[in-house]
């Protein structure tokens, strides 16, 4: 898992060749969806059904 001084923490991952991940910004709590397939990749804020960013409280690991 992430060190306390790292800003982003990966909270979910799926796949090997086609990779999907969710990253959380520890300062803002905003979730980001990352997807990579072949030589292409993309990153976007993860949105709820109302179009607002998904916010997660990230606790420091002990």
């Amino acid at each position: 898992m992430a060190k306390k001084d790292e800003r982003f923490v990966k909270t979910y991952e799926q796949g090997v060749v086609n990779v999907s991940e969710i990253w959380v910004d520890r300062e803002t709590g905003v979730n980001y969806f990352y997807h990579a397939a072949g030589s292409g990749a993309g990153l976007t804020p993860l949105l709820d059904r109302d179009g607002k960013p998904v916010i997660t409280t990230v606790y420091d690991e002990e």
Side-chain angles (χ1 to χ4, degrees):
M1 291 313 275
K3 298 176 188 172
K4 288 184 180 183
D5 61 342
E6 292 180 350
R7 179 162 179 173
F8 294 91
V9 59
K10 182 172 30 174
T11 60
Y12 175 82
E13 73 179 310
Q14 171 184 311
V16 177
V17 176
N18 293 323
V19 177
S20 296
E21 299 173 346
I22 296 177
W23 289 82
V24 177
D25 182 333
R26 295 169 66 101
E27 291 185 18
T28 65
V30 175
N31 287 241
Y32 294 90
F33 179 74
Y34 170 79
H35 184 76
S39 62
L43 179 74
T44 186
L46 189 61
L47 305 177
D48 67 13
R49 65 179 8 176
D50 297 321
K52 296 180 181 179
V54 174
I55 307 293
T56 301
T57 301
V58 178
Y59 299 99
D60 288 334
E61 298 174 16
E62 298 182 26

